[in-house]
């Protein structure tokens, strides 16, 4: 019974993204998105499908009126160029949102506190259906 309770705890921690171990060293990177479409704190940040960090905070940028996403990138991932791009993607049938990073060709690398300028907001299914229905109604 104790083993099953421990297994349930480990499963819950894995699903939630929490860990019992110390967090790895990381550096902060920011990106602005027009629509985050359900992205949450602790969502994963990936590159080529491999987790390289996680979202640590999401706030509304009062100057640009866009969502400012703060990401903690693992310190061993020190090869993200300044012209890297960030996209909000959807995983699986449940629609879990995460950020996918694609590197560019710039020789300068992102440092702690830098912004990723090239971003692509989340694809919101309801908006697509609404546009499709509106186009069908006008034809």
């Amino acid at each position: 019974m104790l083993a099953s309770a421990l297994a349930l705890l480990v499963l819950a921690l894995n699903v939630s993204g929490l860990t019992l171990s110390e967090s790895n060293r990381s550096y902060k990177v920011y990106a602005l998105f027009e629509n985050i479409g359900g992205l949450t704190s602790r969502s994963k940040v990936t590159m080529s499908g491999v987790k390289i960090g996680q979202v640590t905070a999401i706030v509304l940028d009062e100057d640009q009126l866009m969502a400012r996403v703060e990401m903690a990138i693992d310190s061993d991932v020190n090869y993200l160029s300044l012209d890297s791009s960030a996209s909000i993607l959807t995983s699986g049938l449940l629609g879990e949102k995460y950020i996918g990073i694609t590197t560019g060709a710039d020789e300068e690398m992102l440092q702690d506190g830098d912004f990723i300028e090239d971003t692509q907001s989340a694809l919101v299914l309801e908006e697509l259906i609404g546009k499709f229905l509106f186009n069908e109604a006008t034809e």
Side-chain angles (χ1 to χ4, degrees):
M1 194 146 125
L2 182 62
S4 63
L6 183 61
L8 185 61
L9 176 66
V10 169
L11 178 65
L13 287 174
N14 284 337
V15 168
S16 69
L18 296 175
T19 60
L20 294 175
S21 63
E22 287 184 28
S23 61
N24 295 339
R25 292 184 178 250
S26 61
Y27 61 96
K28 303 283 187 208
V29 175
Y30 301 90
L32 294 172
F33 294 96
E34 289 181 12
N35 188 343
I36 58 169
L39 185 75
T40 62
S41 292
R42 293 193 322 225
S43 293
K44 60 185 174 179
V45 178
T46 66
M47 179 195 243
S48 299
V50 178
K51 183 179 176 189
I52 61 168
Q54 72 177 10
V55 174
T56 53
I58 301 171
V59 296
L60 182 64
D61 187 285
E62 295 177 4
D63 295 330
Q64 304 214 8
L65 300 177
M66 296 172 75
R68 183 177 66 225
V69 177
E70 177 183 281
M71 298 169 272
I73 307 296
D74 297 340
S75 61
D76 58 337
V77 181
N78 56 3
Y79 41 81
L80 297 179
S81 59
L82 277 177
D83 61 344
S84 295
S85 64
S87 303
I88 298 177
L89 305 170
T90 305
S91 172
L93 295 174
L94 298 177
E96 174 191 12
K97 302 288 185 181
Y98 67 97
I99 295 182
I101 304 286
T102 305
T103 58
D106 200 335
E107 292 185 17
E108 289 187 56
M109 301 301 154
L110 287 170
Q111 302 296 320
D112 188 42
D114 284 346
F115 272 81
I116 296 176
E117 301 294 331
D118 184 20
T119 61
Q120 182 178 358
S121 294
L123 191 63
V124 180
L125 187 59
E126 290 83 7
E127 289 178 6
L128 290 175
I129 292 171
K131 287 179 184 177
F132 176 75
L133 292 176
F134 180 74
N135 286 339
E136 288 294 317
T138 57
E139 290 180 359

